[in-house]
Each structure stands twice: as C-alpha cells, then as structure tokens.
C-alpha cells in the first residue's frame, strides 16, 4: 500500500486590475478577493511522496582510523625535585674533590695521620687559591635555596617578599 501524502495550499489570487478604474481615480484598484474577504484553499492528495524518504549517506571508502594513524602514548618526564637536584650536585662535587685530592696525593694517599692532615690543608688552600671553593659553595647554596623555596612554597609558610629576598 502506498502512503498518501496530503498537501494543503492556500492560494491567494490577485485580481485583474481594471485599467479604467485606475486611470480615473488615481488610487490603485482594490482586489476583488480582498474586498469580499475570501480565499481559495486547495487540497491535493498524492499517490506517491513528492520527495523520497531520507536515507543515510553511503559509507566513505577511507575510514577516519585509516587517515589518522594511531600514536603511542608518550609519558611526560618528571622533573627532578630540588632535593634530588641538590643530591646530584653534592655527588658531582664530591667526585671532583676526590679527583683533586688524588692528583695532589697520588693513588695510595698518605698513610700517616699527620701527613694526611697536611695534605688536606694543602687541598683546602689550593681550592681557595684558584676559586673552586667559592664556586662550589655558591653552587650548593643555590641548591639549598631551591629546596627551601620548594618546601615553603608548598606549605605557604613563607611570604612572597621573603621568597624574593632570599
């Protein structure tokens, strides 16, 4: 059975203008349909629909997954905390001091405690003389300040002015 569609249209007719009335009066003629306050209604019943029913579009030849390749998940590298960075600075400084001490004393090092104390004094003198001690001290001081800022910033125990002053 074919579904029936009903189409209703309201037609408004336009009256044929009377040229004689327009010429003599000067005003536009009035429409006879409007004057009579009437309208025409037409109802059409069709055997088949005017438009075919909606059908989904065909599937594309290439899918979205084929166009955009899968990517592997990349984990963000965690930045080391201030204490971890300080720990690595201290280890690097200790290695450098050990290298300097070995250069000064040799591989075996002094066996006598008095001789070891004299070599240690000489190492400290050399570190002060060439500025390595000051550079090491400033480097470690900066690391300690980062630790303090990180700890107090999280807890809120230090004001903004105090953070900037340090």
């Amino acid at each position: 059975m074919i579904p029936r569609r009903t189409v209703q249209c309201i037609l408004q007719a336009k009256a044929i203008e009377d040229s004689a009335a327009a010429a003599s009066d000067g005003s536009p003629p009035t429409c006879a349909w409007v004057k009579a306050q009437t309208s025409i209604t037409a109802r059409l019943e069709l055997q088949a629909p005017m438009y075919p029913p909606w059908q989904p579009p065909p599937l594309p030849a290439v899918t979205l997954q084929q166009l955009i390749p899968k990517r592997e998940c990349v984990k963000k590298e965690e930045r080391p905390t201030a204490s971890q960075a300080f720990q690595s600075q201290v280890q690097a400084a200790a290695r450098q001091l050990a290298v300097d001490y070995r250069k000064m004393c040799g591989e075996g090092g002094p066996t006598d405690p008095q001789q070891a104390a004299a070599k240690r004094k000489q190492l400290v003198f050399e570190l002060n003389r060439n500025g390595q001690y000051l550079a090491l001290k400033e480097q470690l001081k900066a690391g300690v300040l980062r630790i303090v800022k990180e700890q107090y910033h999280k807890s809120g125990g230090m004001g903004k002015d105090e953070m900037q002053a340090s």
Side-chain angles (χ1 to χ4, degrees), residues 55-78:
Q55 293 180 357
L59 293 174
V62 180
T63 63
L64 189 61
Q65 286 81 11
Q66 292 170 341
L67 287 175
I68 302 172
K70 258 189 172 178
R71 294 187 295 174
E72 60 185 53
C73 293
V74 178
K75 291 183 179 180
K76 288 185 178 180
E77 291 183 21
E78 292 185 24

Side-chain angles (χ1 to χ4, degrees), residues 134-166:
L134 184 62
L136 180 64
K137 180 181 130 190
E138 290 300 318
Q139 181 183 13
L140 294 178
K141 180 180 170 184
V144 169
L145 285 176
R146 279 194 297 266
I147 290 174
V148 169
K149 285 181 181 181
E150 184 180 272
Q151 293 298 321
Y152 282 105
H153 183 67
K154 287 180 183 174
S155 67
M158 192 179 227
K160 191 173 186 178
D161 297 332
E162 291 174 309
M163 288 282 237
Q164 289 176 351
S166 56

